[in-house]
Structure formats: structure tokens, C-alpha cells
Amino acid sequence: MTSFNFSTWPPQLTPEQLEALTLAATTYALSHGLLYLPPSQSPSNIQPRIPTTAIHAPISLIPAPFPRAQFQAARGLQSIYNVLYARIAMDTQFLDTVMGAEEGVGKADEFTGTLWRGWKRIREQGVLAQPLHLGLFRSDYLLHAVEDRLALKQVEFNTISSSFGPLSERAASMHRHILASTSYFSASPHLIADNFPENSTTSGLVEGLAKAHEAYGVRGTRILFVVQPNERNVFDQRWLEYELLERHQIHVVRQTLADLAVSASLDPSTYALTITIPSPTNSSPYEISTIYFRASYAPSDFPSPSYYDTRFLLERSRAIKCPSLPLQLAGGKKVQEALTRPGVLERFLSNKGAKWGTHTPDLTAYAADIRATWMGMWALDSEDADIAAALDHLPPSGQGQGQGNVPSGTRLARLQAPSLVLKPQREGGGNNVYREAIPAFLDALPAEEREAWIAMEMIETPRGVSGYLVRASPSSSDTDNGSTEKKVIRTEVISELGIFGYALFGDGEVVEKEVGWLVRTKGTESNEGGVAAGFSVLDSVVLV
């Protein structure tokens, strides 16, 4: 275990030093595209088509301490995770069983079931216009304090809309700039350049998109970004667009699902996807090589059935999807739980009999390292023997009345509620149920919906570590007046590390790479960790 004392962080700063660092951080962020669009001032929450103002993203003043060994271990495991989730996406039977609407979680979760049914119809129609898939992944971790040591534990694995790569790269650059310009007033011996790792996530993610574009193999095609309407986190996406054009000469087309309902069409023989954007000067269609989804991960992205029709049209196309429907389903929490069962992970890591291809490595030797990153988890509808055995060793108090027909997994979740989080099949933050809120939630949860939820042991992060969090004011006002006291909050925090990677796969070989990292920091009073959802700030690491 690192000898670093987390409870001493951050170093003490005078009010004058704090003001100087705040000025340096916010002006750097505003100067270098570490930005959001401000909240809309219109009652309908509509962003202007051509923005005229921006605010800096929520940021930290001083990077979060993270043990060097665990940081390097997380980066080292990403390639294994890249291959693992590529293989899961190619195992149709497994996804049908775990995520499907006939046998799996799609029976209880309508959103998941709708996506799966659309994918199943495409398979039944015999449409496989594009065997390749692209994943831009992010594996999220927290430090788990176990007695006298710290363990690296995975929160979740993201297979769709893994955001904040470009902005996190700029947050790390901001901290390096502050170090170079102020030395952080020599406030801590840990704040030195050797402890500030480089971050080149933008070019790494773009490399994955460019490889997919190249694999499509048609000159003059473009990459489609499917985005949400009124997106405030637009600059995180724009940096990818700029890098694609400047470094790879690849153009990007941005469209919402509503736009695509009008602009998208498929060639009936080749399934080539073309986008026609009305223009006074040029309305010729663009063929699309790759579809990068920064939308379609939540039910709110589909306000009517026609939006699903558009999503399924894109899936049937020859364009390479990032992610495809099977890869999106592979990122479900139910898959995360299923992998923890005996032998399941090992089956995906093994290449016995060359089942994943003759040039594909056997990764079974990494199984223990991967399993070591997982907390205990189980399905609420589970009747597994190990869940029943755990119940036998617990006192019966708190089980309530009428528990005879309640699955063992739900009963165990009730008994261990103070140390658990319940997770549905959702992305984007704000969906989980934590600790003391669990019993009342279970009381209200319809029996037929239990299958849509998993229980996971809470990761107990180091206590006493604090940070300086800088939130952007929605707009300038006389009441704000730019005061440091109102802009910067010192509070006890939790910092989550995310490791990015890409994988291009589907024809046997998995072309993959670990490409960068992010840190999001939140106050301990917040259970959720999404920056875009308003729960946390962008940060970076100081290795200790």
C-alpha cells in the first residue's frame, strides 16, 4: 500500500493563493476549450443553433492523489477488457440469454427489450451488411480501502457514448500549466512534474474512429456523429471532429435521431448509408463510413417509436457502428454481473480450439487480475446456491413480512442494504439506488421488474481526502461578482478514474489499444458521478 496519507490532501492554501490558482484554472479552461454551453435561458430549454457564449466546465484546482501502482494496473488491464467486451458482443447466444426479451433482462426492462428485439429482427431478416464493430470504451474505477491496503475496483464498463475524453485531456493540461506557472506555491512535495502523467485521449479515440473509417474502404465517405438535441457538452465532441479533420482529413456530419429520420437513407442493394442535408449550394448525399453514437443510450432519446425505427435503420446499414446494438447490449449491468459467475469470464478469455480465431491470443492467464477488480454482485431475482448460503449465515432481521416468495437475491439485498448499491440497465447517471434507500425501494419494486436490477457491494473509498471544486456560474451576474468564496468549494471528495480504449473487431482479429484516461471528482455527499448530469467535476491525477 502507498504510504500516502489521503486525509492530508489537499495542501493548505492561503486565500490569496487560492484566488491566484482559481484565476489560472478558469482562464486556462476558457482559453483552451475546456468548455460547456451554458444552460438555456428559454422555457423550452432549447439551445441556440449558433452559440454565442460558453462557460468553463466544472473543474478541480488541484489534481486528485492516486497510487501510481493502481493507475498503471488500470491502464495495463484495458487491453484485456477491450478484447473481453469485443468477444461478448460477438456471442449472440450469450447476449440473447442475458439481455434478451425472451430469456434475459429485456423481459423486465422495456428499453433493453426494445433494442434487443430490433437487433433480433435484423438478424432474422438475414441482414449483415457490415461484420465489423467499433468500440470506444471506458472502464471506470474507484479505490477500495480494505483494512491497511487500497484495491482497484471497477464501477462499470462503458460501451456507448464514453464521454469526456477530450475535456479530461485538457483538464490534465490545465493542471500541468498551473504547476509550470505557479509550482502550486510549493504547497506539497507531491506536486512535481514526474507525478503528472501525460494524457493524449483525444488522438487515441480519434485513432479508433479513423481505423474504422479506413476499414470501410470507400473514398470520400464521412463519419456520422449521432448527437442529442440541445447538447451542452458539445465541445467534448467537437474536439474529436477537429482532430479527425486536421490529422486524418476525415469530415464529420452531426445529426440527431430526429434529423436522421429525414436525412438518412439506405441503398437497397448495398445497404450503404447516405445522409442528405438540405443546402442552398449543395444538397448531394454523403455516404457514411462510421456511425459514432453520442445518443441513443437512454429511453429519453426515443420519445416515440419512430426514433427506434431510425436507430434500426442505422443498424441495418453497411456503415461500421460505434457501438453496434450487440456491443451496446454488452455494456449492460446484467452482463457485468453475469461475468462474475463461475467460469463465465474464463470462457470469454480462453481461445481453446481457436474459437475466437487462429491469430487471437488466449487470455485466461489474466482472469484472476480481472476478477480482482470486481466487487461482489448478484441479480435481484437470483436463486443461486451461493446467495442462499449467504442468507443462511445472516440474521433474519429486516426481512419483513411475506418473504417466502421473494427471491434470495432480493432478500440478501435487503439485509445488506447499508453496504450496497442497486443498478438498473441504464447509462448517464442518476439511476442507481444507494444504501439506506434500498429497503423502501425494494418494497415498491414490482416483482416482474426485479430481473432488471443487480445488487453490487459498495466500493468504500479512502476517507478524509478533500479537494477544491470549481463550478461554473450559468451566467455572469451582479450577485456572483466572480468572488472566489462563491466559485470554489473545499469539500471531502471521491475521485473516479476512467481508462479509455478502442477495439475494431468482427472478422476474427481484434485491433485494440488503451488510449488515455480521465478523472471525475465529486463531493462525498453525492452518490452519482456524472459530470454532464451535474454531479461532479473534471479532474486529473497526481501519482503518489
Side-chain angles (χ1 to χ4, degrees):
M1 174 181 175
T2 178
S3 60
F4 181 80
N5 185 351
F6 283 85
S7 65
T8 65
W9 198 262
Q12 291 295 323
L13 298 169
T14 67
E16 294 77 16
Q17 291 170 339
L18 186 61
E19 183 172 12
L21 293 181
T22 304
L23 177 63
T26 56
T27 52
Y28 185 96
L30 291 166
S31 301
H32 290 79
L34 183 46
L35 301 173
Y36 267 10
L37 291 179
S40 171
Q41 301 301 307
S42 73
S44 57
N45 197 36
I46 295 176
Q47 288 286 342
R49 183 171 179 82
I50 300 177
T52 57
T53 59
I55 57 176
H56 67 74
I59 51 179
S60 73
L61 278 189
I62 300 179
F66 207 92
R68 188 181 301 270
Q70 278 84 352
F71 180 79
Q72 293 172 341
R75 299 192 74 172
L77 285 175
Q78 187 61 34
S79 284
I80 311 303
Y81 271 115
N82 291 342
V83 175
L84 170 63
Y85 274 83
R87 291 176 177 179
I88 292 170
M90 291 187 288
D91 193 327
T92 300
Q93 183 177 355
F94 176 79
L95 289 175
D96 285 349
T97 302
V98 175
M99 299 297 288
E102 296 172 0
E103 300 179 61
V105 73
K107 293 186 299 182
D109 186 283
E110 181 59 27
F111 176 60
T112 301
T114 302
L115 294 179
W116 179 84
R117 284 188 291 269
W119 176 43
K120 183 171 184 284
R121 282 195 300 272
I122 294 170
R123 287 184 277 149
E124 290 173 343
Q125 292 165 0
V127 177
L128 184 59
Q130 180 53 257
L132 293 177
H133 315 241
L134 175 65
L136 296 186
F137 301 138
R138 195 186 70 227
S139 185
D140 294 335
Y141 301 93
L142 289 170
L143 293 174
H144 182 51
V146 186
E147 298 176 348
D148 62 343
R149 66 185 183 88
L150 293 174
L152 184 74
K153 294 296 182 178
Q154 188 183 63
V155 178
E156 63 182 0
F157 191 89
N158 302 275
T159 64
I160 184 168
S161 190
S162 302
S163 58
F164 290 109
L167 291 196
S168 293
E169 176 180 332
R170 281 151 184 82
S173 297
M174 176 194 71
H175 286 146
R176 286 196 298 273
H177 165 76
I178 295 174
L179 176 67
S181 60
T182 71
S183 299
Y184 277 105
F185 302 105
S186 301
S188 168
H190 295 285
L191 293 170
I192 59 174
D194 286 348
N195 294 336
F196 284 52
E198 289 291 327
N199 190 344
S200 56
T201 302
T202 306
S203 62
L205 294 174
V206 165
E207 179 182 309
L209 289 166
K211 282 188 178 295
H213 177 83
E214 180 182 358
Y216 187 80
V218 177
R219 291 178 58 84
T221 56
R222 301 191 173 198
I223 292 179
L224 170 65
F225 282 21
V226 182
V227 299
Q228 294 173 323
N230 303 307
E231 174 66 79
R232 293 182 58 214
N233 187 28
V234 65
F235 300 102
D236 188 59
Q237 302 167 9
R238 290 291 188 182
W239 282 119
L240 298 174
E241 179 181 340
Y242 303 153
E243 183 88 359
L244 279 165
L245 184 60
E246 294 167 10
R247 180 166 295 196
H248 300 278
Q249 295 76 53
I250 301 171
H251 289 265
V252 165
V253 178
R254 291 173 59 86
Q255 295 268 277
T256 66
L257 284 174
D259 295 332
L260 289 164
V262 177
S263 64
S265 62
L266 293 188
D267 183 288
S269 58
T270 67
Y271 293 96
L273 173 66
T274 56
I275 306 296
T276 303
I277 302 174
S279 168
T281 58
N282 180 17
S283 295
S284 61
Y286 301 114
E287 184 175 347
I288 299 301
S289 68
T290 306
I291 307 171
Y292 175 44
F293 287 97
R294 290 293 290 256
S296 82
Y297 56 81
S300 58
D301 289 327
F302 299 88
S304 74
S306 65
Y307 285 74
Y308 286 105
D309 294 339
T310 301
R311 174 64 185 88
F312 300 147
L313 179 142
L314 299 178
E315 190 70 20
R316 289 197 303 272
S317 77
R318 183 185 160 195
I320 298 171
K321 273 71 68 177
C322 178
S324 61
L325 281 173
L327 186 53
Q328 179 173 348
L329 292 169
K333 304 301 184 294
K334 190 72 170 181
V335 169
Q336 187 182 12
E337 179 269 324
L339 286 172
T340 67
R341 301 173 194 170
V344 177
L345 170 66
E346 289 75 10
R347 180 171 71 83
F348 282 107
L349 295 182
S350 170
N351 194 33
K352 186 176 181 180
K355 62 181 176 180
W356 302 113
T358 55
H359 301 292
T360 302
D362 188 302
L363 301 174
T364 311
Y366 295 95
D369 293 334
I370 293 290
R371 285 192 178 275
T373 66
W374 295 341
M375 299 297 289
M377 62 188 85
W378 63 89
L380 287 189
D381 64 329
S382 175
E383 293 288 5
D384 289 351
D386 56 341
I387 301 297
L391 279 171
D392 291 339
H393 289 87
L394 290 172
S397 61
Q399 295 191 47
Q401 300 299 317
Q403 293 292 306
N405 296 324
V406 175
S408 298
T410 301
R411 292 164 56 202
L412 185 61
R414 183 183 297 276
L415 287 170
Q416 295 190 346
S419 62
L420 295 179
V421 54
L422 303 185
K423 295 184 174 185
Q425 311 305 306
R426 291 290 179 274
E427 303 296 334
N431 301 299
N432 299 337
V433 181
Y434 293 85
R435 301 186 190 268
E436 287 74 15
I438 289 176
F441 174 80
L442 293 177
D443 289 340
L445 183 67
E448 63 272 15
E449 294 183 18
R450 289 173 183 145
E451 190 173 357
W453 292 78
I454 69 166
M456 176 177 163
E457 295 173 350
M458 284 290 291
I459 302 171
E460 302 296 347
T461 56
R463 296 185 180 274
V465 61
S466 295
Y468 292 106
L469 310 185
V470 185
R471 299 189 182 276
S473 300
S475 61
S476 59
S477 68
D478 293 337
T479 56
D480 183 327
N481 202 30
S483 65
T484 304
E485 292 82 1
K486 292 183 178 180
K487 196 171 185 67
V488 182
I489 302 170
R490 177 179 171 135
T491 186
E492 189 171 344
V493 297
I494 296 170
S495 295
E496 184 173 305
L497 173 70
I499 306 296
F500 288 97
Y502 73 74
L504 180 64
F505 61 95
D507 59 353
E509 182 184 5
V510 178
V511 178
E512 61 77 28
K513 187 178 180 181
E514 178 268 317
V515 298
W517 52 273
L518 67 71
V519 177
R520 294 169 296 174
T521 292
K522 62 184 179 181
T524 54
E525 73 281 357
S526 171
N527 283 316
E528 299 288 351
V531 178
F535 299 113
S536 60
V537 305
L538 293 171
D539 206 342
S540 70
V541 294
V542 54
L543 299 178
V544 296

